[in-house]
């Protein structure tokens, strides 16, 4: 179905378990839920599934919220904290108990262990055998602990019309009577998810296909309550470029690492994640508004998507070129400060701003961008890197002296005038422009790559440019204080 054509009201949710950072797969799930909601005039909700008290941490909650915020995936309502809702979960379990859709199971841990050992020995699937399904609680010793189990259908089968996976059928005989409420009164994850999705009014469950099996159990519970069934869309997980499930080794980092360590722009990560598992023809660069126009579940592929860091870098390069110069100056300045070990001042920020337009097309991430600006801030005499040294050595005789003279005579220090002057010199010497420009670039930047040479000279200014050339002409002075 095309974007915007869903018939029922669309309410989606992202339901991360805060046991670690927001990883790239989770970010993609959040993005798909967000876009699907927005494409259909619906709502996107957030639920923090913090019921696993041993593994959930406040730091992980903060990292998830921070990651979503960076990616601009704002939920339409404040996040629902699952653990706080435990009394409501217990209420539903007790309601099912009262209407006969659930029952108390008094089987002890040892008993269940024996049951499983026997099943294992007989090579049978390990499932709860329903030993308390038909028994009366009166048969249990007084005060004995119990769990509440769902009385799931035993006959027939369930088919889910999954929007990504297609029709998937499971025989009810394969599903046992799952625990809803533990003996300490705490809800299981299955119960909590179903109750929360219902209470939040979720109509579309879009999540990783590692949850497809859970959907059958969750559906049994939904039907026992007589609640409306959501539409399911189980999205294939992301794999590494070698086809194995994505792990740290493949660059499966937290979203924060893409921002902080790799220097990616959020819109680039978003575009990359969107195209990872979803497509619209050959369209490669799809920004937020276009994505909202186009996103649909039929465009989600059934095969696992492969994560490709090189591709992400090229998408990032694209968005760097499009990004506003002032924004990039803000983003790159802390990185420059870290590289220099000091904070650049207002004058230097001015240099950076003046050159940003020419600097940004050359970088694929903010780290490269920062590194490429350093020549602006280094103090004289500049250290020459190997390639710059080679260029200076290979320069035609006296060409740098001649360039120094020519530039010294330029009256108004502008990129255009500097270009005219240097071109004139190359012509007078009957040599290619590069023969002058390359040693000049080496002398003023200490390296062999930079934005347009004349922009660089213009931004550095007359005094600094001529000073840097003088240093390169008299390298012996670089060795220590002048005698
Ligand atoms: N909390 C689950 C997870 O992080 C998601 C549950 C769901 O989406 O239904 O994998």
């Amino acid at each position: 179905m095309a974007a915007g054509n869903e018939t029922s009201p669309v309410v989606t949710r992202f339901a991360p378990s805060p046991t670690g950072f927001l990883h790239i797969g989770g970010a993609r799930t959040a993005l798909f839920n967000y876009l699907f909601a927005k494409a259909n005039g619906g709502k996107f909700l957030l639920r923090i599934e913090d019921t696993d008290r041993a593994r959930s941490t406040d730091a992980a909650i903060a990292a998830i919220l921070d990651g979503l915020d960076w990616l601009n995936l704002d939920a339409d309502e404040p996040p629902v904290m699952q653990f706080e809702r435990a009394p409501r979960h217990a209420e539903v379990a007790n309601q099912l108990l009262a209407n006969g859709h659930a029952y108390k199971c008094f089987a002890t841990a040892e008993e269940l262990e024996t049951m499983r050992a026997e099943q294992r020995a007989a090579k049978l699937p390990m499932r709860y055998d329903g030993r308390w399904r038909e028994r009366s609680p009166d048969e249990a010793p007084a005060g004995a602990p119990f769990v509440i189990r769902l009385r799931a259908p035993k006959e027939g089968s369930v088919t889910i019309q999954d929007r990504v996976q297609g029709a998937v059928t499971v025989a009810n005989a394969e599903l046992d009577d799952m625990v809803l409420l533990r003996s300490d009164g705490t809800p299981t994850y299955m119960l909590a998810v179903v109750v929360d999705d219902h209470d939040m009014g979720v109509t579309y469950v879009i999540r990783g296909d590692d949850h497809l099996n859970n959907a059958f159990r969750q559906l049994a519970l939904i039907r026992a309550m007589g609640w409306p069934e959501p539409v399911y869309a189980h999205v294939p997980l992301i794999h590494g470029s070698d086809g194995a499930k994505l792990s740290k080794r493949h660059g499966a980092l937290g979203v924060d690492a893409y921002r902080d360590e790799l220097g990616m722009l959020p819109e680039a990560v978003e575009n990359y994640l969107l195209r990872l598992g979803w497509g619209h023809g050959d369209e490669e660069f799809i920004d937020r508004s276009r994505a909202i126009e186009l996103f649909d579940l039929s465009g989600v592929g059934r095969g696992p998507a492969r994560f490709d860091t090189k591709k992400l870098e090229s998408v990032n390069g694209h968005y760097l070129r499009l990004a506003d110069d002032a924004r990039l100056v803000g983003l790159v300045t802390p990185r420059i400060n870290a590289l220099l070990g000091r904070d650049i001042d207002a004058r230097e920020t001015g240099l950076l701003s003046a050159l940003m337009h020419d600097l940004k097309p050359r970088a694929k991430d903010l780290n490269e961008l920062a590194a490429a600006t350093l020549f602006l801030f280094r103090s004289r005499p500049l250290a020459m890197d190997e390639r710059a040294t080679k260029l200076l050595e290979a320069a035609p005789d006296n060409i740098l002296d001649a360039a120094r003279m020519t530039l010294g005579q330029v009256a108004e220090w502008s990129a255009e005038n500097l270009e005219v002057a240097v071109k004139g010199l190359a012509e007078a010497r009957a040599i290619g422009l590069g023969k002058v420009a390359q040693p000049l670039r080496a002398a003023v930047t200490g390296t062999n790559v930079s934005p347009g040479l004349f922009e660089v000279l213009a931004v550095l200014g007359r005094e600094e440019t001529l000073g840097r050339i003088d240093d390169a002409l008299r390298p012996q002075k670089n060795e220590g204080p002048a005698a």
Side-chain angles (χ1 to χ4, degrees), residues 13 15-17 49 189 193 207 211:
R13 61 18 171 219
S17 304
E49 303 211 311
Y189 164 71
V193 167
R207 60 188 174 191
H211 287 283

Side-chain angles (χ1 to χ4, degrees), residues 121-321:
K123 297 206 160 41
L124 291 169
M126 276 187 278
R127 290 189 197 115
Y128 174 68
D129 60 5
R131 59 185 62 199
W132 279 91
R133 189 173 161 111
E134 307 302 340
R135 284 170 78 180
S136 155
D138 301 340
E139 295 176 39
F146 61 89
V147 300
I148 295 182
R149 287 183 184 272
L150 180 71
R151 193 187 302 280
K154 294 189 86 68
E155 317 291 316
S157 61
V158 187
T159 299
I160 289 178
Q161 299 292 344
D162 191 276
R163 280 292 187 83
V164 175
Q165 309 287 332
V168 190
T169 301
V170 166
N172 282 326
E174 285 176 37
L175 308 171
D176 58 7
D177 289 345
M178 65 175 170
V179 176
L180 301 175
L181 211 60
R182 300 189 191 91
S183 56
D184 62 1
T186 59
T188 58
Y189 164 71
M190 291 290 182
L191 175 65
V193 167
V194 168
V195 174
D196 291 347
D197 278 346
H198 171 264
D199 290 1
M200 290 164 74
V202 172
T203 53
Y204 287 78
V205 171
I206 304 169
R207 60 188 174 191
D209 66 4
D210 50 336
H211 287 283
L212 180 59
N213 286 330
N214 292 340
F216 291 93
R217 295 172 174 281
Q218 291 168 2
L219 203 50
L221 181 47
I222 291 168
R223 289 180 178 172
M225 285 303 289
W227 285 340
E229 297 175 16
V231 173
Y232 288 104
H234 288 93
V235 179
L237 298 182
I238 302 173
H239 286 216
S241 49
D242 57 0
K245 207 186 139 189
L246 197 63
S247 68
K248 249 198 162 142
R249 176 168 65 82
H250 299 107
L253 309 168
V255 160
D256 56 322
Y258 289 89
R259 176 189 60 198
D260 301 336
E261 287 153 39
L262 303 180
M264 301 280 166
L265 296 177
E267 63 269 37
V269 172
E270 168 173 341
N271 191 147
Y272 179 71
L273 288 179
L274 170 64
R275 294 281 288 105
L276 195 60
W278 177 88
H280 181 80
D282 294 336
E283 254 181 81
E284 190 161 347
F285 299 115
I286 303 180
D287 66 9
R288 171 68 60 91
S289 61
R290 180 92 179 123
I292 290 173
E293 220 172 272
L294 295 176
F295 188 80
D296 57 0
L297 292 172
S298 51
V300 177
R302 274 204 216 185
R306 291 196 179 200
F307 193 85
D308 178 349
T309 309
K310 283 267 166 295
K311 183 88 216 168
L312 171 58
E313 283 170 357
S314 92
V315 174
N316 198 56
H318 170 83
Y319 283 97
L320 273 176
R321 289 191 284 283

